[in-house]
Amino acid sequence: MAQTPPQKPSALSLERLPKSLELLKADDGQVVLRYVDQRQLPYELVQVSTASWQQVIDAIVTLAVRGAPALGVAGAAAFALWVCNDACFADKDALVCKARAVADEIANARPTAVNLSWGVTAAFQVFEEVLAQPEEQVKSACFDAVKELEAHDEACNRAIGAYGSALLPCAEGGATVLTHCNAGSLATVFYGTALGVIYTAAMDGNIARVYADETRPVGQGARLTAWELAQVGIPVTLICDNMAASLMAKGEIDAVVVGADRIAANGDTANKIGTLSVAIAAHTFGVPFYVAAPTSTIDVTLASGDEIPIEERASSEVLDPLYAGVDIYNPAFDVTPARFISGIITEKGVFSPASIAQAVGVS
């Protein structure tokens, strides 16, 4: 598959979409993370600023901040908040011990998206590398490291968009694409992975309509993906999750593009619960099914999807209050076997699931 990005189209107007998170220096000298509280969407756009690394963990756990790439940057930012606002530099040995404990607590906030631990590890490594320097230089280095991750995230997303756009069929009037959950600008720092593909294709005039699965039980498709697409003016139709196969059976869908929370070495991919059903339907009806994700989502330490930890969440997300005599099973993710995936789109190019380890330099 080609590894040279297509010619970059003119920029799409995305001014109505805020950055989902951004590390900033406040007027009082503290470092703060400003983030969109995604629990409030689509009816209210609320941005929260916090200097507390513990509050960032709570935002991650409660889905105020979500999306694998965004979690990577949020994890790094949470660690930087601790370094810049709370760390005591008087005793270096105690400082390092506390830093490890903080990093572990952040990284373990949610288990499935490997980007979270990746981001925390990146920030911790910078901390270790500059620890011998004066306190203010350590703080500045950790802050700057997060800002670099923010810029890198958007650059990766735009590259993913360029590679993925080239895969969509050039249908008369544009391609009709289905997506599940939210792998848009809100799931990253800015621009998005799966929706980044759609945004870039729209700039090329090759998007007729997007069908967004509601994504039970938390409704990321209904609340976030449909909202994003409406904000930028891309035609979007919201559907219940159990309507996707019917649309494919009628020949209404040209391609499926979704994101990912972890990709194993063999190409098996964990994504929001319900993705597997969409992949099976796409395979049945001959619709290409693409996964769009940065290489930070690839975990070559896991041989297959059987080894991916799957987060189980509270029953209240499904039914609240629950009534007597009923149990609820609420896994946040499922695993799509590599055989159902047409291609994995990364910032380094498009790879077959069987060759995805090559994207991170492992043969």
Side-chain angles (χ1 to χ4, degrees), residues 60 222 226 347:
I60 290 170
E347 77 276 14

Side-chain angles (χ1 to χ4, degrees), residues 225-288:
T225 294
W227 178 83
E228 272 197 44
L229 293 167
Q231 291 298 300
V232 301
I234 293 177
V236 56
T237 298
L238 176 64
I239 61 172
C240 298
D241 292 352
N242 56 5
M243 299 173 183
S246 176
L247 280 171
M248 294 183 207
K250 295 176 180 178
E252 297 292 333
I253 305 300
D254 295 313
V256 176
V257 186
V258 300
D261 286 84
R262 192 180 301 221
I263 301 171
N266 71 339
D268 291 351
T269 296
N271 193 49
K272 184 56 58 182
I273 190 72
T275 303
L276 174 58
S277 299
V278 175
I280 292 171
H283 181 76
T284 299
F285 295 110
V287 177

